[in-house]
Amino acid sequence: MGPVSAQFPEAPDLRSRGLSPAYPDRAAWGTVKNLRAWQAAALQQYREEEPRDFLTVATPGAGKTSFALTVATDLLNRRVVDRILIITPTEHLKTQWASAADRVGLLIDPDGSAKGGAAGKHFVGTALTYAGAAVNPNALRIRIEHHNTLVIFDEIHHAGDALSWGEAVREACEPAKRRLSLTGTPFRSDANPIPFVTYEPDGEGTMRSRPDYNYGYAEALADGIVRPVLFMAYSGDMHWRTNAGDEVTARLGEPMTKDMISQALRTALDPHGAWIPAVLRAADTRLTEVRQSVPDAGGLVIANDQSSARAYARMLHHITGEKPTVVLSDEPKSGERISDFAASRDRWMVAVRMVSEGVDVPRLSVGVYATMTATPLFFAQAVGRFVRARGRGETATVFVPTVPRLLTYASEMEVQRDHALKRRTEDETFLLAEAQREQNTADADIDGEQHQFQALGSEADFEKVLFDGGEFGLTTMAGSAEEQEYLGLPGLLDPTQVKDLLQRRQADQLARTEAGPARGQEEPAGRARQQATHQRLRALRKELNSLVSAWNHRTDLPHGVIHNKLVEATGGPPSAAADEETLETRIDLIRQWAITGGGPR
């Protein structure tokens, strides 16, 4: 393949197309002369195949926008097309696309409509939302038919969000000369086919989407295009009252039914408890450490609903002394607040859902996943806000509750998923409905069921760090010295250095835990008995959980299995509800396992 710039002959009428006469010599970074390797390879494939439809799957932060604008410029220069239509999921992204296009000399009107088109002849194209395109698909189809049009679908999976959207997009854009589809998360939980996407049998009775070009997170991480992500998982003891009036105590992360996991998570996220303030404080500590190396690094809290977002913002104001940016809905002013935050050096932004996809704030380095939404699509979109690398050695840190489903998503960051057309199950229907709506009240749980209950109290414990497919760290109380060792990892490290440091800190913590308190340093019995009962129980649970973590690292048995074995051997309820005598018995038993080499394996 020769120089990329040589493949783009300049047309003599670039001004009439809204392009600078100096283009491509003055192209912005990421287009034409400075294409990344994957962009150049995808562009070469596109030029060789000259397809009408082309699906590009690239991880968030890889540069899909730059690739698409380069394709658009090439097609305009070669007179294959003379108009561009960009369809996006949100109003804010229309403006973002128009701004990106303007930087490379393409004039896109973000304020047009399906019927009216661009506001002036100097524009070479228009940006619409999927909802806007569905308002009048017939009028949009007529506009597309009158020109040789390139349609760029940003995050094409949104065309399957509602059956009416998919049908409208298919009807309106069918006559387009070229269609370029982009996505960073090409998987869904429903069976709605995505327009202009090719499906093939996978040999297991399912039709699965086939991308024309794929560039995954693992490849981008190896190329240094995206940041490695550390997931800081937090558990803790939760206490709530059910709608039947029963009081329940459980530990986040221990084996539970789906509805109990949901209620425990909701209790953790309740602004009146102690879990979320402790996690926000830890996240801000981590942000402070990162800003030692990356001065403008920012943080984002993804909240479940508007009332929680406001409460979290007040907490962060109290913790940091700075008022965070609050984004509550997808409105023009909210888009402006996001843009202002992106250009500032402010510490925190708190948002309800809308900053989950496509929003470009490259300085985001620390995140808190504080929402009940637990679909793989939403989780991947949310984490995608933190992976955009700007320089060597940058890392991202996302704080997550210890919920099995979320930890699974975190550990599978590098797994490729394609859209499968399958029969929608009842559970998936609930999940889809949950992911699509914005919540203004905290009334929906992780599985879409409705519960009336009262969160009575919560405590936070640092559980572990998930990184590069591994787990590091032993359970310890939030605010402890052990937690600070992990929060204090340097802000600039390459993946090998991150893993090495995590392994060393885990080994030190494991050695201290297995050794137990030094002789003569045990807590005096009289002083221990002066503590309140809840303080003694918390200290015992912390000690037991640390020992369970140590046994997990010795045997690879899951934490839940170890806890179940202890319950079977000693009797009584789960640890979160056990009394002092039961907890002490379990601590003695697991220490005996360590000494004798017995116990489950």
Side-chain angles (χ1 to χ4, degrees):
M1 177 178 175
V4 178
S5 58
Q7 300 180 28
F8 296 86
E10 294 188 36
D13 60 344
L14 293 178
R15 284 191 182 277
S16 67
R17 299 177 185 277
L19 297 172
S20 164
Y23 194 86
D25 293 332
R26 293 185 180 177
W29 183 91
T31 61
V32 186
K33 293 187 71 176
N34 293 304
L35 287 175
R36 290 168 171 166
W38 82 264
Q39 294 168 327
L43 182 61
Q44 178 74 4
Q45 179 180 330
Y46 189 89
R47 289 292 301 268
E48 291 174 353
E49 297 177 0
E50 295 287 357
R52 187 178 183 195
D53 288 296
F54 195 84
L55 172 61
T56 302
V57 175
T59 190
K64 292 186 293 293
T65 301
S66 295
F67 168 71
L69 293 176
T70 302
V71 170
T73 302
D74 175 41
L75 294 176
L76 286 168
N77 283 343
R78 293 192 290 125
R79 304 178 187 275
V80 176
V81 302
D82 54 31
R83 285 293 182 274
I84 300 171
L85 173 64
I86 301 171
I87 304 182
T88 74
T90 67
E91 291 286 334
H92 175 71
L93 289 177
K94 291 195 311 179
T95 303
Q96 189 167 293
W97 269 91
S99 298
D102 189 75
R103 288 194 293 271
V104 298
L106 288 175
L107 303 186
I108 301 296
D109 181 13
D111 299 318
S113 66
K115 184 177 181 180
K121 293 182 178 180
H122 50 286
F123 288 109
V124 76
T126 307
L128 302 174
T129 63
Y130 286 99
V135 169
N136 196 335
N138 289 331
L140 184 58
R141 181 187 179 100
I142 292 171
R143 283 179 49 205
I144 291 173
E145 286 177 334
H146 284 174
H147 297 277
N148 289 325
T149 304
L150 164 67
V151 181
I152 298 174
F153 297 103
D154 184 24
E155 304 297 350
I156 182 63
H157 53 268
H158 281 284
D161 276 347
L163 189 59
S164 60
W165 282 17
E167 292 174 345
V169 167
R170 189 180 300 279
E171 170 65 22
C173 301
E174 192 280 329
K177 181 75 172 181
R178 294 285 181 90
R179 293 180 290 254
L180 177 61
S181 300
L182 310 171
T183 184
T185 47
F187 51 92
R188 302 181 51 79
S189 299
D190 63 61
N192 290 339
I194 300 171
F196 312 120
V197 169
T198 301
Y199 292 88
E200 296 177 341
D202 63 0
E204 299 178 359
T206 300
M207 299 295 290
R208 193 168 294 276
S209 63
R210 179 184 62 78
D212 295 286
Y213 193 89
N214 182 67
Y215 186 69
Y217 173 78
E219 297 167 281
L221 184 61
D223 292 341
I225 290 176
V226 296
R227 299 168 177 154
V229 182
L230 295 89
F231 291 95
M232 300 277 187
Y234 278 72
S235 60
D237 298 318
M238 306 297 142
H239 186 200
W240 68 90
R241 182 180 293 116
T242 68
N243 59 344
D246 299 325
E247 291 195 13
V248 178
T249 299
R251 184 170 181 80
L252 195 64
E254 286 190 346
M256 289 184 279
T257 62
K258 286 184 178 180
D259 58 341
M260 283 191 68
I261 292 174
S262 170
Q263 294 174 52
L265 176 57
R266 188 180 303 177
T267 303
L269 300 181
D270 182 74
H272 299 99
W275 189 91
I276 189 67
V279 172
L280 292 178
R281 192 172 294 109
D284 188 67
T285 298
R286 178 65 186 148
L287 181 60
T288 297
E289 181 62 42
V290 173
R291 286 169 75 105
Q292 297 295 320
S293 306
V294 187
D296 69 337
L300 168 65
V301 180
I302 301 177
N304 195 57
D305 54 75
Q306 294 188 8
S307 61
S308 294
R310 293 188 182 97
Y312 298 165
R314 289 192 294 270
M315 291 178 195
L316 286 170
H317 186 195
H318 176 74
I319 292 169
T320 67
E322 300 179 15
K323 284 188 176 181
T325 298
V326 180
V327 180
L328 298 179
S329 59
D330 187 11
E331 298 174 346
K333 288 185 178 180
S334 295
E336 292 175 11
R337 285 196 289 272
I338 295 172
S339 297
D340 291 344
F341 179 81
S344 74
R345 296 169 67 91
D346 295 346
R347 292 180 71 88
W348 284 99
M349 176 163 60
V350 183
V352 181
R353 295 173 179 265
M354 72 165 292
V355 191
S356 64
E357 182 177 46
V359 173
D360 187 14
V361 187
R363 70 186 190 88
L364 286 177
S365 299
V366 177
V368 179
Y369 195 90
T371 173
M372 299 293 293
T373 306
T375 63
L377 177 65
F378 186 86
F379 185 84
Q381 292 169 353
V383 174
R385 299 315 97 213
F386 305 96
V387 302
R388 298 171 184 265
R390 298 180 300 173
R392 282 190 169 278
E394 290 186 356
T395 61
T397 307
V398 179
F399 289 72
V400 296
T402 306
V403 172
R405 189 182 296 175
L406 297 180
L407 299 188
T408 298
Y409 300 156
S411 64
E412 294 179 348
M413 272 285 290
E414 300 177 10
V415 176
Q416 172 63 37
R417 294 179 177 87
D418 295 318
H419 179 212
L421 289 179
K422 59 182 179 179
R423 184 176 64 83
R424 187 185 304 167
T425 66
E426 182 179 0
D427 183 55
E428 286 172 329
T429 302
F430 280 134
L431 287 172
L432 177 63
E434 176 70 8
Q436 284 177 344
R437 71 189 186 93
E438 178 179 337
Q439 299 177 27
N440 292 319
T441 57
D443 64 352
D445 66 21
I446 204 167
D447 291 297
E449 299 175 357
Q450 303 263 339
H451 295 281
Q452 298 292 330
F453 79 102
Q454 180 183 4
L456 300 177
S458 61
E459 297 172 337
D461 288 328
F462 169 74
E463 182 84 12
K464 56 191 170 184
V465 180
L466 284 76
F467 179 75
D468 193 28
E471 298 181 0
F472 307 87
L474 310 182
T475 303
T476 183
M477 286 185 287
S480 67
E482 291 93 340
E483 178 202 35
Q484 297 302 311
E485 290 182 355
Y486 292 96
L487 296 178
L489 290 170
L492 288 177
L493 290 172
D494 64 38
T496 302
Q497 292 172 321
V498 173
K499 195 167 187 177
D500 180 61
L501 269 177
L502 287 171
Q503 288 173 334
R504 279 190 281 161
R505 295 192 177 181
Q506 175 180 275
D508 292 342
Q509 189 182 4
L510 186 60
R512 291 194 299 266
T513 300
E514 290 191 330
R519 184 176 298 276
Q521 293 184 1
E522 290 86 352
E523 186 78 14
R527 187 168 126 202
R529 287 296 165 188
Q530 291 175 6
Q531 293 181 323
T533 301
H534 73 275
Q535 292 174 317
R536 295 196 302 272
L537 286 171
R538 177 158 170 73
L540 289 169
R541 285 194 297 265
K542 179 222 171 184
E543 183 179 359
L544 177 60
N545 288 323
S546 293
L547 291 168
V548 168
S549 295
W551 194 255
N552 160 262
H553 287 291
R554 175 182 290 195
T555 64
D556 288 330
L557 274 180
H559 291 68
V561 172
I562 301 170
H563 277 291
N564 287 339
K565 293 294 183 183
L566 289 168
V567 171
E568 290 174 8
T570 62
S575 298
D579 57 23
E580 290 180 64
E581 183 178 357
T582 302
L583 291 172
E584 289 171 347
T585 301
R586 291 174 186 172
I587 289 170
D588 291 341
L589 177 59
I590 196 170
R591 284 198 182 280
Q592 189 65 28
W593 291 350
I595 294 171
T596 64
R601 291 184 178 273

